[in-house]
Amino acid sequence: FDKATELFDEISNKTELSLDATIDFQVSLDLSLDSFIITSSLNELRASFRATIANDFNIPIGNFTLGISPSIEIFLEANNNAVPFNVFDDTNFTNLASFDFGGTFDAKVGARINEVPAE
């Protein structure tokens, strides 16, 4: 378990997480003498999550140094595909629960050798 804890500590120190959310909600109130009307509009509803793990290893090999730089990035997003809509008219909340989901997964590994003589 000690090795697993060390590995988890090393990965968590190299991990960057970010969360982004946007809610654009508008409410209008009509206070006429003969009526009282409330309308609303949800214009944008989305959320995204990004996780990046990156590290850099240097391995001495004789007179040379091999450098390896791995990185992984995961991006997930959810966008409401029913906007804009009037929230007060959506009695069964179908528009509020209508989302498109997407995302990407990128993995890269860079390698370099230091101290290589070149002419």
Side-chain angles (χ1 to χ4, degrees):
F1 287 114
D2 289 339
K3 293 293 182 187
T5 303
E6 289 175 22
L7 180 62
F8 181 75
D9 287 343
E10 175 127 0
I11 290 172
S12 64
N13 290 336
K14 308 293 184 188
T15 303
E16 183 178 309
L17 304 174
S18 64
L19 180 64
D20 183 31
T22 303
I23 300 173
D24 182 359
F25 182 69
Q26 176 182 351
V27 176
S28 299
L29 182 61
D30 183 359
L31 297 174
S32 303
L33 293 176
D34 58 346
S35 68
F36 180 78
I37 301 171
I38 298 175
T39 58
S40 69
S41 177
L42 185 63
N43 300 316
E44 186 176 9
L45 179 60
R46 66 172 196 83
S48 63
F49 170 78
R50 182 181 310 271
T52 304
I53 302 171
N55 207 342
D56 193 22
F57 301 99
N58 290 313
I59 303 167
I61 302 173
N63 293 332
F64 306 107
T65 302
L66 174 64
I68 300 173
S69 303
S71 69
I72 296 173
E73 182 177 86
I74 300 168
F75 177 73
L76 303 171
E77 65 180 341
N79 290 307
N80 186 289
N81 57 18
V83 293
F85 63 90
N86 185 341
V87 175
F88 297 136
D89 284 344
D90 191 21
T91 55
N92 60 1
F93 301 105
T94 56
N95 288 332
L96 206 55
S98 181
F99 283 89
D100 288 331
F101 298 95
T104 59
F105 176 83
D106 293 316
K108 301 175 206 170
V109 175
R112 65 192 175 283
I113 299 178
N114 296 337
E115 309 296 331
V116 173
E119 293 183 18

